[in-house]
Amino acid sequence: MADDKTKRTTDRETVAAGEKYEVQYLMKSLHLRRDDADQLIAKYNGDREKIKAELSKRKTRQTYAHL
């Protein structure tokens, strides 16, 4: 029986916490510190879209916090 190809994710959708270069790329592209990147990867199982959504929520809160 063939594999169900609809249940596969592409490699770009997730960040592998064990791969140093992937974590560094995430840190550089999203302007994160190492501890923040590690926490977000653990919290969202490396899902890039969820990490980006969390960061956009944080930026929105920071924008209104100074008002």
Side-chain angles (χ1 to χ4, degrees):
M1 188 184 294
D3 290 335
D4 185 358
K5 297 195 187 307
T6 62
K7 294 185 179 182
R8 291 187 180 185
T9 61
T10 61
D11 190 40
R12 294 184 191 121
E13 291 177 1
T14 60
V15 179
E19 297 293 339
K20 187 176 179 180
Y21 69 93
E22 287 196 30
V23 177
Q24 288 176 339
Y25 177 79
L26 182 75
M27 291 168 52
K28 185 176 180 180
S29 66
L30 298 177
H31 307 287
L32 295 171
R33 293 183 312 230
R34 172 62 124 184
D35 59 332
D36 289 334
D38 289 339
Q39 288 175 358
L40 288 168
I41 291 168
K43 183 176 181 179
Y44 295 110
N45 294 323
D47 187 321
R48 289 183 195 272
E49 291 303 315
K50 289 181 181 179
I51 291 170
K52 288 179 182 180
E54 173 67 24
L55 292 173
S56 81
K57 282 190 241 176
R58 288 182 185 180
K59 287 180 182 178
T60 303
R61 282 189 231 135
Q62 289 174 354
T63 302
Y64 292 112
H66 77 281
L67 296 177

